[in-house]
Coordinates of all heavy atoms in Angstrom, one line a residue:
N344 N 24.9 56.4 -9.9 CA 25.1 55.1 -10.5 C 23.9 54.7 -11.3 O 22.8 54.6 -10.8 CB 25.4 54.1 -9.4 CG 25.8 52.7 -9.9 OD1 25.6 52.4 -11.1 ND2 26.5 52.0 -9.1
S345 N 24.1 54.5 -12.6 CA 23.0 54.2 -13.5 C 22.2 53.0 -13.1 O 20.9 53.0 -13.4 CB 23.5 54.0 -15.0 OG 24.3 52.9 -15.1
A346 N 22.8 52.0 -12.5 CA 22.0 50.8 -12.1 C 20.9 51.2 -11.1 O 19.9 50.5 -11.0 CB 23.0 49.8 -11.5
D347 N 21.1 52.3 -10.3 CA 20.1 52.7 -9.3 C 18.8 53.2 -10.0 O 17.8 53.4 -9.4 CB 20.6 53.8 -8.4 CG 21.7 53.3 -7.5 OD1 21.7 52.1 -7.2 OD2 22.5 54.1 -7.0
F348 N 18.9 53.5 -11.3 CA 17.8 54.1 -12.1 C 17.3 53.2 -13.1 O 16.7 53.6 -14.1 CB 18.3 55.4 -12.6 CG 18.7 56.4 -11.6 CD1 20.1 56.4 -11.2 CD2 17.9 57.2 -10.9 CE1 20.5 57.2 -10.2 CE2 18.3 58.1 -9.9 CZ 19.6 58.1 -9.5
G349 N 17.5 51.9 -13.0 CA 16.9 50.9 -13.8 C 17.7 50.5 -15.1 O 17.2 49.8 -16.0
V350 N 18.9 51.0 -15.2 CA 19.8 50.7 -16.3 C 20.5 49.4 -15.9 O 21.1 49.3 -14.9 CB 20.8 51.9 -16.5 CG1 21.7 51.5 -17.7 CG2 20.1 53.2 -16.8
P351 N 20.6 48.4 -16.8 CA 21.3 47.2 -16.5 C 22.8 47.3 -16.6 O 23.4 46.5 -17.3 CB 20.7 46.2 -17.6 CG 20.4 47.1 -18.7 CD 19.9 48.4 -18.2
Q352 N 23.3 48.2 -15.9 CA 24.8 48.5 -16.0 C 25.2 49.4 -14.8 O 24.5 50.3 -14.5 CB 25.0 49.3 -17.3 CG 26.4 49.8 -17.5 CD 26.5 50.8 -18.6 OE1 27.5 51.4 -18.8 NE2 25.4 51.1 -19.4
T353 N 26.3 49.0 -14.2 CA 26.9 49.8 -13.2 C 27.8 50.8 -13.8 O 28.9 50.5 -14.3 CB 27.7 49.0 -12.1 OG1 28.7 48.2 -12.8 CG2 26.7 48.0 -11.4
R354 N 27.4 52.1 -13.8 CA 28.1 53.1 -14.5 C 27.9 54.4 -13.6 O 26.8 55.0 -13.5 CB 27.4 53.4 -15.9 CG 28.1 54.5 -16.7 CD 27.2 54.7 -17.9 NE 27.9 55.6 -19.0 CZ 28.5 55.1 -20.0 NH1 28.6 53.8 -20.2 NH2 29.1 55.9 -20.9
H377 N 15.7 51.5 -8.3 CA 16.1 50.1 -8.1 C 17.2 50.1 -7.0 O 17.9 51.1 -6.8 CB 16.7 49.5 -9.4 CG 15.7 49.2 -10.4 ND1 15.0 50.2 -11.1 CD2 15.2 48.1 -10.9 CE1 14.2 49.7 -12.0 NE2 14.2 48.4 -11.9
K378 N 17.3 49.0 -6.3 CA 18.2 48.9 -5.2 C 19.3 47.8 -5.6 O 19.0 46.9 -6.3 CB 17.6 48.5 -3.9 CG 17.0 47.1 -3.8 CD 16.4 46.8 -2.4 CE 16.0 45.4 -2.2 NZ 14.9 45.0 -3.1
R379 N 20.5 47.9 -5.0 CA 21.5 46.9 -5.3 C 21.2 45.7 -4.4 O 20.7 45.8 -3.3 CB 22.9 47.5 -5.0 CG 23.2 47.8 -3.5 CD 24.5 48.5 -3.4 NE 24.4 49.8 -4.0 CZ 25.5 50.5 -4.4 NH1 26.7 50.0 -4.2 NH2 25.4 51.7 -4.9
P380 N 21.4 44.5 -5.0 CA 21.1 43.3 -4.2 C 21.9 43.1 -3.0 O 21.5 42.6 -2.0 CB 21.4 42.2 -5.3 CG 21.3 42.8 -6.6 CD 21.8 44.2 -6.4
D381 N 23.2 43.6 -3.1 CA 24.1 43.5 -1.9 C 24.4 44.9 -1.4 O 25.2 45.6 -2.0 CB 25.4 42.8 -2.3 CG 26.3 42.6 -1.2 OD1 26.0 43.0 0.0 OD2 27.4 42.0 -1.4
F384 N 28.0 46.2 -0.8 CA 28.9 46.5 -1.9 C 29.1 48.0 -2.0 O 28.1 48.7 -2.1 CB 28.5 45.9 -3.1 CG 29.2 46.3 -4.4 CD1 30.5 45.8 -4.6 CD2 28.7 47.3 -5.2 CE1 31.2 46.2 -5.7 CE2 29.4 47.7 -6.4 CZ 30.7 47.1 -6.6
T386 N 31.3 51.0 -4.3 CA 32.2 51.3 -5.4 C 33.3 52.2 -4.9 O 33.2 52.8 -3.8 CB 31.5 52.0 -6.6 OG1 31.1 53.3 -6.1 CG2 30.4 51.2 -7.0
P412 N 12.6 47.2 -6.5 CA 13.2 46.0 -7.2 C 14.7 46.0 -7.3 O 15.3 47.1 -7.2 CB 12.6 46.0 -8.6 CG 12.2 47.4 -8.8 CD 11.8 48.0 -7.5
N413 N 15.3 44.9 -7.4 CA 16.8 44.8 -7.5 C 17.3 45.4 -8.8 O 16.5 45.6 -9.8 CB 17.3 43.4 -7.4 CG 17.2 42.9 -5.9 OD1 17.1 43.6 -5.0 ND2 17.1 41.6 -5.8
W414 N 18.6 45.7 -8.9 CA 19.2 46.2 -10.1 C 18.8 45.2 -11.3 O 18.7 44.0 -11.1 CB 20.7 46.2 -10.0 CG 21.2 47.3 -9.2 CD1 20.6 48.5 -8.8 CD2 22.6 47.5 -8.8 NE1 21.5 49.3 -8.2 CE2 22.7 48.7 -8.1 CE3 23.7 46.7 -8.9 CZ2 23.9 49.2 -7.6 CZ3 24.9 47.1 -8.3 CH2 25.0 48.4 -7.7
V415 N 18.6 45.8 -12.4 CA 18.2 45.0 -13.6 C 19.5 44.3 -14.1 O 20.6 44.8 -14.2 CB 17.7 45.9 -14.8 CG1 17.4 45.1 -16.0 CG2 16.5 46.7 -14.3
T416 N 19.3 43.0 -14.4 CA 20.4 42.1 -14.8 C 20.6 42.1 -16.3 O 19.7 42.5 -17.1 CB 20.2 40.7 -14.3 OG1 19.1 40.1 -15.0 CG2 20.0 40.7 -12.8
V417 N 21.7 41.5 -16.7 CA 22.0 41.3 -18.2 C 20.9 40.4 -18.8 O 20.4 40.7 -19.9 CB 23.4 40.8 -18.4 CG1 23.6 40.3 -19.8 CG2 24.4 41.8 -18.0
N418 N 20.6 39.4 -18.1 CA 19.5 38.5 -18.6 C 18.2 39.2 -18.8 O 17.5 39.0 -19.8 CB 19.4 37.3 -17.6 CG 18.4 36.3 -18.1 OD1 18.6 35.7 -19.2 ND2 17.3 36.1 -17.4
E419 N 17.8 40.0 -17.8 CA 16.6 40.7 -17.9 C 16.6 41.7 -19.1 O 15.6 42.1 -19.7 CB 16.3 41.5 -16.6 CG 15.9 40.6 -15.5 CD 15.8 41.4 -14.2 OE1 16.7 42.0 -13.8 OE2 14.7 41.3 -13.6
A420 N 17.8 42.2 -19.4 CA 18.0 43.1 -20.5 C 18.0 42.5 -21.9 O 17.5 43.1 -22.8 CB 19.3 43.9 -20.3
L421 N 18.6 41.3 -22.0 CA 18.9 40.8 -23.4 C 18.2 39.5 -23.8 O 18.2 39.2 -25.0 CB 20.4 40.5 -23.4 CG 21.4 41.7 -23.1 CD1 22.8 41.2 -23.3 CD2 21.1 42.9 -23.9
Y454 N 11.8 45.3 -17.9 CA 12.7 46.1 -18.6 C 12.6 45.9 -20.1 O 12.6 46.9 -20.9 CB 14.2 45.8 -18.2 CG 15.2 46.6 -18.9 CD1 15.5 47.9 -18.4 CD2 15.9 46.2 -20.0 CE1 16.4 48.7 -19.1 CE2 16.9 46.9 -20.6 CZ 17.1 48.2 -20.2 OH 18.1 49.0 -20.8
V489 N 31.3 32.5 -17.1 CA 30.9 33.9 -16.6 C 32.0 34.5 -15.8 O 32.6 33.9 -15.0 CB 29.6 33.7 -15.8 CG1 29.3 35.0 -15.0 CG2 28.4 33.4 -16.7
N490 N 32.2 35.8 -16.1 CA 33.2 36.6 -15.4 C 34.7 36.3 -15.8 O 35.6 36.9 -15.2 CB 33.0 36.6 -13.9 CG 31.7 37.3 -13.5 OD1 31.4 38.4 -14.1 ND2 31.0 36.8 -12.5
K543 N 36.2 40.3 -20.8 CA 35.3 39.8 -19.7 C 34.0 39.3 -20.3 O 33.4 39.9 -21.1 CB 35.0 41.0 -18.7 CG 34.3 40.4 -17.5 CD 34.2 41.5 -16.4 CE 33.6 41.0 -15.1 NZ 33.5 42.0 -14.1
K544 N 33.6 38.1 -19.8 CA 32.3 37.5 -20.2 C 31.3 38.0 -19.2 O 31.4 37.9 -18.0 CB 32.4 36.0 -20.2 CG 31.2 35.3 -20.9 CD 31.6 33.9 -21.3 CE 30.5 33.4 -22.2 NZ 30.8 32.0 -22.7
L545 N 30.2 38.5 -19.7 CA 29.1 39.1 -18.9 C 28.4 38.0 -18.1 O 28.2 36.9 -18.5 CB 28.1 39.8 -19.8 CG 28.5 41.0 -20.5 CD1 27.5 41.4 -21.6 CD2 28.7 42.2 -19.5
D546 N 28.1 38.4 -16.8 CA 27.3 37.6 -15.9 C 25.8 37.9 -16.1 O 25.4 39.0 -15.9 CB 27.7 37.9 -14.5 CG 27.1 37.0 -13.5 OD1 26.0 36.4 -13.8 OD2 27.6 36.9 -12.3
P547 N 25.1 36.9 -16.6 CA 23.6 37.2 -16.9 C 22.8 37.5 -15.7 O 21.8 38.1 -15.8 CB 23.2 35.9 -17.5 CG 24.1 34.8 -17.0 CD 25.4 35.5 -16.9
E548 N 23.3 37.2 -14.5 CA 22.5 37.4 -13.2 C 22.9 38.7 -12.5 O 22.5 39.0 -11.4 CB 22.7 36.3 -12.3 CG 22.2 34.9 -12.9 CD 20.8 35.0 -13.5 OE1 20.0 35.6 -12.8 OE2 20.6 34.5 -14.6
K549 N 23.8 39.6 -13.2 CA 24.1 40.9 -12.6 C 24.0 41.9 -13.7 O 24.0 41.6 -14.9 CB 25.6 40.8 -12.1 CG 25.8 39.9 -11.0 CD 27.3 39.9 -10.6 CE 27.5 38.9 -9.4 NZ 29.0 38.9 -9.0
P550 N 24.0 43.2 -13.3 CA 24.1 44.2 -14.3 C 25.5 44.1 -15.0 O 26.5 43.6 -14.5 CB 24.0 45.5 -13.5 CG 23.4 45.2 -12.2 CD 23.9 43.8 -12.0
S551 N 25.6 44.7 -16.2 CA 26.8 44.7 -16.9 C 27.8 45.7 -16.2 O 27.3 46.6 -15.5 CB 26.6 45.2 -18.4 OG 27.8 45.5 -19.0
H552 N 29.1 45.5 -16.4 CA 30.0 46.6 -16.0 C 29.9 47.7 -17.1 O 29.2 47.5 -18.1 CB 31.4 46.0 -15.9 CG 31.9 45.2 -17.1 ND1 31.4 43.9 -17.4 CD2 32.8 45.5 -18.1 CE1 31.9 43.5 -18.5 NE2 32.8 44.4 -18.9
T553 N 30.6 48.8 -16.8 CA 30.4 50.0 -17.6 C 30.7 49.7 -19.1 O 31.7 49.2 -19.5 CB 31.4 51.1 -17.2 OG1 31.1 51.4 -15.8 CG2 31.2 52.4 -18.0
V554 N 29.7 50.2 -19.9 CA 29.8 50.1 -21.4 C 30.7 51.3 -21.8 O 30.3 52.5 -21.5 CB 28.5 50.1 -22.1 CG1 28.6 50.2 -23.6 CG2 27.7 48.9 -21.7
S564 N 35.6 43.5 -24.2 CA 35.3 43.8 -22.8 C 33.9 43.4 -22.4 O 33.6 43.3 -21.2 CB 35.4 45.3 -22.6 OG 34.5 46.0 -23.5
H565 N 33.1 43.1 -23.4 CA 31.7 42.7 -23.1 C 31.3 41.5 -24.0 O 30.7 41.6 -25.1 CB 30.7 43.8 -23.4 CG 30.9 44.9 -22.4 ND1 31.9 45.8 -22.4 CD2 30.0 45.3 -21.4 CE1 31.8 46.7 -21.4 NE2 30.6 46.4 -20.8
I566 N 31.8 40.3 -23.6 CA 31.5 39.1 -24.3 C 30.1 38.6 -23.9 O 29.8 38.5 -22.7 CB 32.6 38.0 -24.0 CG1 34.0 38.6 -24.5 CG2 32.3 36.7 -24.7 CD1 35.2 37.7 -24.0
P568 N 26.9 36.6 -22.8 CA 26.9 35.6 -21.7 C 26.5 34.2 -22.1 O 26.9 33.3 -21.5 CB 25.8 36.2 -20.8 CG 24.9 37.0 -21.6 CD 25.9 37.6 -22.6
E578 N 22.4 45.0 -28.5 CA 22.7 44.6 -27.1 C 23.4 45.7 -26.3 O 23.1 45.9 -25.1 CB 23.4 43.3 -27.1 CG 22.6 42.1 -27.5 CD 23.3 40.9 -28.1 OE1 24.6 41.0 -28.2 OE2 22.7 39.9 -28.4
R581 N 20.8 48.2 -25.5 CA 20.0 47.8 -24.4 C 20.7 48.0 -23.0 O 20.0 48.4 -22.0 CB 19.6 46.3 -24.6 CG 18.4 46.0 -25.5 CD 17.1 46.1 -24.8 NE 16.0 45.7 -25.6 CZ 15.4 44.5 -25.5 NH1 15.8 43.6 -24.7 NH2 14.4 44.3 -26.3
L582 N 22.0 47.7 -23.0 CA 22.7 47.8 -21.7 C 22.8 49.3 -21.3 O 23.1 49.6 -20.1 CB 24.1 47.2 -21.8 CG 24.1 45.7 -22.0 CD1 25.6 45.2 -22.2 CD2 23.4 44.9 -20.9
Q583 N 22.6 50.2 -22.3 CA 22.7 51.6 -22.0 C 21.2 52.2 -21.8 O 21.1 53.4 -21.6 CB 23.4 52.4 -23.1 CG 24.9 52.3 -23.0 CD 25.4 53.4 -22.1 OE1 25.1 53.4 -20.9 NE2 26.3 54.3 -22.6

Side-chain angles (χ1 to χ4, degrees):
N344 188 335
S345 64
D347 291 335
F348 301 90
V350 181
Q352 175 193 171
T353 55
R354 181 190 192 93
H377 291 70
K378 71 177 188 296
R379 68 188 64 201
D381 182 0
F384 171 76
T386 65
N413 288 337
W414 283 348
V415 179
T416 67
V417 168
N418 183 63
E419 290 174 305
L421 306 184
Y454 182 79
V489 165
N490 291 320
K543 190 170 184 180
K544 191 160 192 176
L545 291 168
D546 186 338
E548 301 308 318
K549 295 180 180 179
S551 169
H552 50 288
T553 301
V554 174
S564 62
H565 290 72
I566 299 169
E578 288 156 354
R581 276 278 186 98
L582 296 179
Q583 278 278 59

